[in-house]
mmCIF file of all heavy atoms in Angstrom:
data_model
loop_
_atom_site.group_PDB
_atom_site.id
_atom_site.type_symbol
_atom_site.label_atom_id
_atom_site.label_comp_id
_atom_site.label_asym_id
_atom_site.label_seq_id
_atom_site.Cartn_x
_atom_site.Cartn_y
_atom_site.Cartn_z
ATOM 1 N N GLY D 51 26.908 16.497 53.536
ATOM 2 C CA GLY D 51 25.773 16.912 54.356
ATOM 3 C C GLY D 51 25.613 16.043 55.591
ATOM 4 O O GLY D 51 25.315 16.547 56.679
ATOM 5 N N ALA D 52 25.824 14.742 55.423
ATOM 6 C CA ALA D 52 25.725 13.839 56.571
ATOM 7 C C ALA D 52 26.854 14.099 57.564
ATOM 8 O O ALA D 52 26.641 14.080 58.778
ATOM 9 C CB ALA D 52 25.753 12.390 56.104
ATOM 10 N N ALA D 53 28.049 14.351 57.064
ATOM 11 C CA ALA D 53 29.186 14.601 57.954
ATOM 12 C C ALA D 53 29.009 15.913 58.711
ATOM 13 O O ALA D 53 29.283 15.987 59.912
ATOM 14 C CB ALA D 53 30.481 14.624 57.152
ATOM 15 N N LEU D 54 28.546 16.930 58.018
ATOM 16 C CA LEU D 54 28.359 18.228 58.672
ATOM 17 C C LEU D 54 27.144 18.238 59.590
ATOM 18 O O LEU D 54 27.114 18.979 60.574
ATOM 19 C CB LEU D 54 28.230 19.330 57.623
ATOM 20 C CG LEU D 54 29.493 19.611 56.812
ATOM 21 C CD1 LEU D 54 29.205 20.614 55.701
ATOM 22 C CD2 LEU D 54 30.610 20.106 57.712
ATOM 23 N N GLY D 55 26.148 17.417 59.285
ATOM 24 C CA GLY D 55 24.926 17.389 60.091
ATOM 25 C C GLY D 55 24.955 16.355 61.205
ATOM 26 O O GLY D 55 23.974 16.203 61.927
ATOM 27 N N GLY D 56 26.054 15.630 61.356
ATOM 28 C CA GLY D 56 26.165 14.641 62.422
ATOM 29 C C GLY D 56 25.362 13.377 62.166
ATOM 30 O O GLY D 56 25.029 12.651 63.097
ATOM 31 N N ARG D 57 25.030 13.092 60.912
ATOM 32 C CA ARG D 57 24.251 11.901 60.564
ATOM 33 C C ARG D 57 25.098 10.891 59.795
ATOM 34 O O ARG D 57 24.601 10.203 58.912
ATOM 35 C CB ARG D 57 23.039 12.314 59.725
ATOM 36 C CG ARG D 57 22.078 13.228 60.430
ATOM 37 C CD ARG D 57 20.889 13.633 59.572
ATOM 38 N NE ARG D 57 21.210 13.963 58.190
ATOM 39 C CZ ARG D 57 21.607 15.159 57.766
ATOM 40 N NH1 ARG D 57 21.747 16.149 58.613
ATOM 41 N NH2 ARG D 57 21.858 15.374 56.489
ATOM 42 N N LEU D 58 26.374 10.817 60.131
ATOM 43 C CA LEU D 58 27.279 9.934 59.394
ATOM 44 C C LEU D 58 26.935 8.454 59.561
ATOM 45 O O LEU D 58 27.020 7.702 58.578
ATOM 46 C CB LEU D 58 28.724 10.208 59.816
ATOM 47 C CG LEU D 58 29.799 9.964 58.777
ATOM 48 C CD1 LEU D 58 29.460 10.591 57.447
ATOM 49 C CD2 LEU D 58 31.133 10.464 59.271
ATOM 50 N N PRO D 59 26.512 7.979 60.741
ATOM 51 C CA PRO D 59 26.145 6.557 60.844
ATOM 52 C C PRO D 59 24.963 6.170 59.951
ATOM 53 O O PRO D 59 24.964 5.097 59.343
ATOM 54 C CB PRO D 59 25.789 6.377 62.324
ATOM 55 C CG PRO D 59 26.510 7.473 63.022
ATOM 56 C CD PRO D 59 26.544 8.610 62.061
ATOM 57 N N GLU D 60 23.975 7.051 59.841
ATOM 58 C CA GLU D 60 22.831 6.757 58.965
ATOM 59 C C GLU D 60 23.261 6.727 57.499
ATOM 60 O O GLU D 60 22.823 5.883 56.721
ATOM 61 C CB GLU D 60 21.714 7.801 59.141
ATOM 62 C CG GLU D 60 21.037 7.753 60.489
ATOM 63 C CD GLU D 60 21.724 8.654 61.507
ATOM 64 O OE1 GLU D 60 22.745 9.306 61.172
ATOM 65 O OE2 GLU D 60 21.257 8.700 62.657
ATOM 66 N N PHE D 61 24.155 7.642 57.138
ATOM 67 C CA PHE D 61 24.637 7.663 55.763
ATOM 68 C C PHE D 61 25.473 6.416 55.479
ATOM 69 O O PHE D 61 25.369 5.831 54.394
ATOM 70 C CB PHE D 61 25.472 8.922 55.499
ATOM 71 C CG PHE D 61 26.008 8.974 54.099
ATOM 72 C CD1 PHE D 61 25.200 9.362 53.051
ATOM 73 C CD2 PHE D 61 27.322 8.609 53.828
ATOM 74 C CE1 PHE D 61 25.680 9.402 51.758
ATOM 75 C CE2 PHE D 61 27.811 8.643 52.544
ATOM 76 C CZ PHE D 61 26.985 9.039 51.509
ATOM 77 N N ALA D 62 26.281 6.004 56.440
ATOM 78 C CA ALA D 62 27.101 4.803 56.257
ATOM 79 C C ALA D 62 26.211 3.571 56.094
ATOM 80 O O ALA D 62 26.523 2.672 55.297
ATOM 81 C CB ALA D 62 28.046 4.623 57.439
ATOM 82 N N ALA D 63 25.102 3.529 56.808
ATOM 83 C CA ALA D 63 24.170 2.411 56.656
ATOM 84 C C ALA D 63 23.549 2.401 55.262
ATOM 85 O O ALA D 63 23.407 1.341 54.636
ATOM 86 C CB ALA D 63 23.079 2.487 57.724
#
Side-chain angles (χ1 to χ4, degrees):
L54 293 174
R57 298 180 318 274
L58 210 48
E60 292 90 359
F61 179 79

